[in-house]
Amino acid sequence: MNRDHLADVSYPVVFKFDNQELMTSRDSKKEIAFHAYGQGWDLLKLKLNWFVDPIEINIQNKKKFKYILSSQIRPYLEDRLPELDIRYFLTDTIYTGLDKVKKVKMKVYLDREEIDLAKDYKIDGTIRISPEYVMATGPSSVLDSMAHKIVIRLSDSDIADAYKEEISIPEPASDLVSYDTKKVEVAFGVTKFKRPFTE
């Protein structure tokens, strides 16, 4: 291992950002792979990820934030690994995992098929949901892939009186998305069917 060798190795990279317009859309810890020449122990340390502190790169360009060229990381690597000769990179591009922050209004719907009323009762009038819309915040690519609606269900059954309760809304499909509220109020009236008199 004290001899010089050629090997494919990688080095961890973490992308940072200082502005509120960007956020992480997936794992922001990446690795840059390259072919290097150097002492066997130094190459083995990279292979096994021993005592390797990630390179932190601050993304400041709001227009070019989704990826960075491997050649742009070369100076950082040469500072960290002066004992190695970087021959070439195995990939040209590294994706940062960053995305623009987006806000979307999601309409709240009550699952009417799951409403359990008492026998011979029906909903009287309209179902009121407050707030009617919930603001979702998250990475643009994640929100664009989600349905822009939230469906809630009642936990009560055998309802025979006017209903008014706070209902917890389901958690977002992605843990990268947050809602501006966790509960909505649902209210509606009920009435008994009027059946014609029969002998």
Side-chain angles (χ1 to χ4, degrees), residues 33-51:
F34 54 95
H35 191 71
Y37 177 77
Q39 193 179 67
W41 287 114
D42 293 324
L43 296 172
L44 180 63
K45 183 175 68 173
L46 291 180
K47 283 277 191 182
L48 300 178
N49 201 22
W50 284 349
F51 311 109

Side-chain angles (χ1 to χ4, degrees), residues 39-167:
Q39 193 179 67
W41 287 114
D42 293 324
L43 296 172
L44 180 63
K45 183 175 68 173
L46 291 180
K47 283 277 191 182
L48 300 178
N49 201 22
W50 284 349
F51 311 109
V52 177
D53 293 325
I55 294 172
E56 293 189 0
I57 298 179
N58 193 6
I59 302 296
Q60 296 178 330
N61 191 325
K62 296 179 182 179
K63 293 183 179 180
K64 296 180 180 179
F65 61 86
K66 291 192 174 182
Y67 65 88
I68 187 170
L69 299 178
S70 298
S71 57
Q72 295 174 274
I73 303 180
R74 177 182 280 273
Y76 296 93
L77 282 173
E78 291 175 340
D79 285 344
R80 293 289 182 93
L81 306 170
E83 68 280 3
L84 294 182
D85 177 22
I86 300 170
R87 296 294 176 91
Y88 56 84
F89 292 100
L90 299 178
T91 53
D92 294 330
T93 306
I94 299 178
Y95 291 92
T96 65
L98 300 179
D99 203 350
K100 284 188 175 180
V101 176
K102 187 173 185 177
K103 293 182 181 291
V104 174
K105 285 175 65 176
M106 294 193 170
K107 187 172 175 61
V108 182
Y109 294 91
L110 177 63
D111 188 344
R112 296 180 69 107
E113 294 184 2
E114 296 293 323
I115 299 176
D116 187 0
L117 300 178
K119 185 179 179 181
D120 293 335
Y121 278 82
K122 66 178 180 178
I123 293 176
D124 184 19
T126 60
I127 297 174
R128 298 175 299 281
I129 301 175
S130 179
E132 188 178 356
Y133 290 90
V134 170
M135 185 66 72
T137 303
S140 176
S141 59
V142 175
L143 284 175
D144 289 344
S145 67
M146 294 172 59
H148 292 175
K149 66 178 182 179
I150 299 172
V151 180
I152 58 174
R153 294 174 176 83
L154 303 184
S155 58
D156 293 338
S157 59
D158 203 30
I159 300 170
D161 297 306
Y163 188 88
K164 186 176 182 180
E165 295 290 340
E166 275 195 335
I167 304 294

